[in-house]
Amino acid sequence: MADTSNSTSSEVEQLRAQLDELRATDPAPILADAKQRAAAAVSSAASTVTETVATPIRRGADQVRGAVEGARRTAARVDAQKESLSEQVRMRPFAALGVAAVVGYVFGRALR
């Protein structure tokens, strides 16, 4: 029986040594460090992309908004001028007809 206890004791010691060895080579700390470095790199890349892309996009959006507002103002002015011209034609139809005839004659002569 003495052999069995020595052999068991020896086997337990070997298993403990192997367990200590495995703990020493545990990949968890290495993986945690790699994960942290990867997260930092992704965060840095995201902030760089945001800084590089966001500003020109904001400027472009502001320019588009300005162009839309300008187009709306121009459309409103054209509409107001159209209404004014329509009112003048309603008030003086014969004068408008005379002006149209003169303009048509001038264009006709210019194109010949």
Side-chain angles (χ1 to χ4, degrees), residues 15-106:
L15 287 173
R16 280 190 183 149
Q18 287 176 357
L19 182 61
D20 289 341
E21 186 179 322
L22 286 173
R23 284 183 184 153
T25 61
D26 184 19
I30 296 169
L31 290 175
D33 183 50
K35 182 179 174 183
Q36 186 177 12
R37 283 186 281 141
V42 167
S43 177
S44 175
S47 67
T48 300
V49 167
T50 300
E51 291 171 9
T52 303
V53 173
T55 302
I57 287 176
R58 282 191 205 109
R59 275 192 235 128
D62 290 342
Q63 289 175 346
V64 168
R65 279 189 213 103
V68 168
E69 287 300 315
R72 286 183 181 152
R73 284 192 300 270
T74 301
R77 283 195 304 260
V78 167
D79 194 43
Q81 290 175 351
K82 181 185 82 168
E83 288 300 319
S84 174
L85 182 59
S86 294
E87 187 63 32
Q88 289 177 8
V89 168
R90 280 189 213 109
M91 291 175 62
R92 298 182 190 99
F94 293 114
L97 186 61
V99 168
V102 169
V103 169
Y105 177 77
V106 170

Side-chain angles (χ1 to χ4, degrees), residues 6-23:
N6 277 343
S7 128
T8 305
S9 169
S10 165
E11 195 172 319
V12 167
E13 288 301 316
Q14 286 177 351
L15 287 173
R16 280 190 183 149
Q18 287 176 357
L19 182 61
D20 289 341
E21 186 179 322
L22 286 173
R23 284 183 184 153

